[in-house]
Amino acid sequence: MTPSVRVGLITYFLFRVGGGDWCPFSGCTRNMASVAALVKVSGRLVAEAPRAGLRRLLSAAAAGGHGQPGGARTWKILSFVVALPGVAVCMLNCYLKAQHEHERPEFIPYAHLRIRTKPFPWGDGNHTLFHNPHTNPLPTGYEDEK
Amino acid sequence: MTHQAHSYHMVDPSPWPLTGAMAALLMTSGLAVWFHYNSTTLMTLGLATMLLTTYQWWRDIVREGSFQGHHTKLVQKGLRYGMMLFITSEVFFFIGFFWAFYHSSLAPAPELGGQWPPSGVSPLNPFEVPLLNTAVLLASGVTITWAHHAMMEGNWKETTQGLTLTVLLGAYFTLLQAMEYFEAPFTIADATYGATFFVATGFHGLHVIIGSSFLLICLTRQINYHFTTDHHFGFEAAAWYWHFVDVVWLFLYISIYWWGS
């Protein structure tokens, strides 16, 4: 990245970070119009150079279109260094959380729950498809023990 | 010998559209018969006909494209349009279920205790298995992208590896979600909470199974050298579908699992 590119990018980002106002210091009286002009001019001067840097960045990230060499390698690295370890971390988290069993809530015969307007077309018509006797009470209460 | 003066594919007469329509009729009427007359015969017949139709129709498309060379650039363009339009229609399908969820949850009815989740409903912890499910699907999006790039670079072995990992992750998601369904303290019959949860996540799960099957077929074709570095639309279509499934899950996770708890 050439120095002019760096200046242009830093100028632009400082402008953004400062809330669109060049100077983040409260005592600063530089006005927006002159600053905007400064950014525009420096932006135009460095307009050509960033594209080469950006292109390199995009190539490396393989975010571009078809057939850029080295793209597969990037995604392979992402798969084995970020994606799969991320899954492993979440698996560990689930395993640890499952260690302490939480007791099931007491049964309160709410009218809006365990609705049975018509029987289910399987079994005795009173059990949902993924019924779990330990966690799913019937309209009359838990099946295994009250 | 006659030649066509265009690059479109004039498909040979095929029975599969008819058998597909018959399968749709048998499945829908079979569902009604099951609900009202306690017989699963018609529905089973419909399911079997559907499976036979899909298998043979898509087998014929693979033959026409990979073996007979009928899939010119123009034909492929049409297939791309088709897949895009289909996925768009599926997006609207899911929008309906999200609409139902937000309708019920943004202004909870007094019958539910005026709150969401409703009184007596203990929602799943979004940072346990649902978070793992999110990681699994996101990871599968990365692995399928690896497979795609490897395919474009002509790396047969890595393409197979990436695609295999993707299929395995998809299967893992399905397994986890099935376990969640059995362990959940609430059921589909538990007010609008249960209804919106299981219908939305249920249809999503069905789409995961369909997407995983599509990917498995792509894996089989990949192993059998059907794809080239620049002609592999079947794989691209599967990848688009898979990314769509992933995005739907992200919306489900944020809306129903996280915000809705």
Side-chain angles (χ1 to χ4, degrees):
Chain A
M1 201 185 278
T2 66
S4 54
V5 172
R6 210 173 286 146
V7 165
L9 281 172
I10 291 172
T11 309
Y12 174 71
F13 279 111
L14 275 176
F15 182 82
R16 292 287 300 273
V17 163
D21 189 357
W22 167 253
C23 192
F25 302 113
S26 52
C28 190
T29 53
R30 236 181 287 192
N31 68 42
M32 288 272 285
S34 62
V35 166
L38 178 73
V39 169
K40 226 178 273 174
V41 164
S42 62
R44 209 151 26 95
L45 281 172
V46 300
E48 302 308 307
R51 284 210 196 99
L54 269 171
R55 198 176 293 134
R56 268 203 304 276
L57 198 66
L58 283 174
S59 294
H66 272 216
Q68 295 213 5
R73 191 162 163 270
T74 306
W75 286 99
K76 183 178 181 180
I77 291 169
L78 281 171
S79 298
F80 288 110
V81 171
V82 177
L84 294 178
V87 170
V89 161
C90 288
M91 282 169 76
L92 179 68
N93 175 48
C94 282
Y95 175 73
L96 295 172
K97 289 266 177 71
Q99 294 296 72
H100 38 90
E101 284 291 323
H102 41 75
E103 47 186 270
R104 68 187 183 194
E106 68 161 304
F107 173 73
I108 302 170
Y110 283 115
H112 62 280
L113 301 183
R114 297 165 277 269
I115 293 175
R116 300 284 191 271
T117 43
K118 74 154 68 72
F120 293 107
W122 53 76
D124 69 351
N126 199 23
H127 294 76
T128 59
L129 197 59
F130 297 92
H131 178 76
N132 180 338
H134 182 72
T135 59
N136 304 137
L138 296 183
T140 44
Y142 288 106
E143 280 175 302
D144 38 14
E145 48 174 345
K146 290 279 167 81
Chain B
M1 186 163 145
T2 51
H3 290 93
Q4 61 181 39
H6 59 79
S7 56
Y8 289 98
H9 179 201
M10 306 304 285
V11 184
D12 291 333
S14 162
W16 313 130
L18 179 64
T19 61
M22 279 164 37
L25 175 65
L26 289 171
M27 280 198 297
T28 47
S29 51
L31 199 66
V33 163
W34 180 37
F35 286 168
H36 295 279
Y37 302 111
N38 197 32
S39 159
T40 54
T41 315
L42 211 61
M43 188 177 67
T44 314
L45 200 58
L47 268 159
T49 317
M50 183 200 75
L51 289 168
L52 284 169
T53 301
T54 51
Y55 171 70
Q56 292 176 101
W57 196 340
W58 288 329
R59 174 208 63 192
D60 283 356
I61 294 174
V62 168
R63 285 174 175 176
E64 290 160 4
S66 295
F67 303 155
Q68 297 179 328
H70 286 295
H71 289 180
T72 60
K73 269 283 175 223
L74 192 55
V75 171
Q76 202 193 100
K77 195 161 168 236
L79 293 169
R80 283 176 191 274
Y81 273 128
M83 193 65 194
M84 274 300 183
L85 288 168
F86 173 64
I87 291 177
T88 305
S89 77
E90 294 250 79
V91 167
F92 282 102
F93 180 69
F94 276 97
I95 284 175
F97 297 119
F98 277 99
W99 183 352
F101 167 72
Y102 278 111
H103 175 93
S104 305
S105 58
L106 282 168
E111 288 88 344
L112 305 177
Q115 63 183 39
W116 193 274
S119 318
V121 172
S122 25
L124 299 169
N125 184 341
F127 302 111
E128 290 178 14
V129 175
L131 185 62
L132 172 57
N133 272 341
T134 307
V136 166
L137 283 186
L138 287 174
S140 71
V142 175
T143 53
I144 198 175
T145 309
W146 169 32
H148 192 193
H149 280 270
M151 191 181 285
M152 292 189 286
E153 290 174 13
N155 191 335
W156 186 96
K157 197 172 83 164
E158 286 199 7
T159 306
T160 308
Q161 286 172 351
L163 202 41
T164 307
L165 270 173
T166 310
V167 171
L168 287 172
L169 285 165
Y172 187 36
F173 177 93
T174 304
L175 187 72
L176 285 167
Q177 195 69 324
M179 268 172 46
E180 281 283 273
Y181 269 28
F182 275 109
E183 295 291 312
F186 53 88
T187 69
I188 196 173
D190 285 333
T192 47
Y193 186 89
T196 51
F197 180 90
F198 283 103
V199 170
T201 61
F203 272 115
H204 174 261
L206 180 64
H207 284 69
V208 169
I209 292 168
I210 291 169
S212 301
S213 310
F214 195 171
L215 287 168
L216 188 60
I217 289 168
C218 284
L219 179 58
T220 311
R221 292 183 67 200
Q222 151 66 14
I223 291 171
N224 286 294
Y225 303 97
H226 286 206
F227 301 128
T228 71
T229 53
D230 57 7
H231 192 157
H232 44 256
F233 177 64
F235 173 80
E236 287 183 61
W240 291 353
Y241 196 78
W242 192 249
H243 287 306
F244 152 71
V245 158
D246 188 7
V247 168
V248 170
W249 170 260
L250 292 173
F251 276 96
L252 280 172
Y253 181 71
I254 302 290
S255 309
I256 298 183
Y257 284 91
W258 197 348
W259 177 83
S261 70

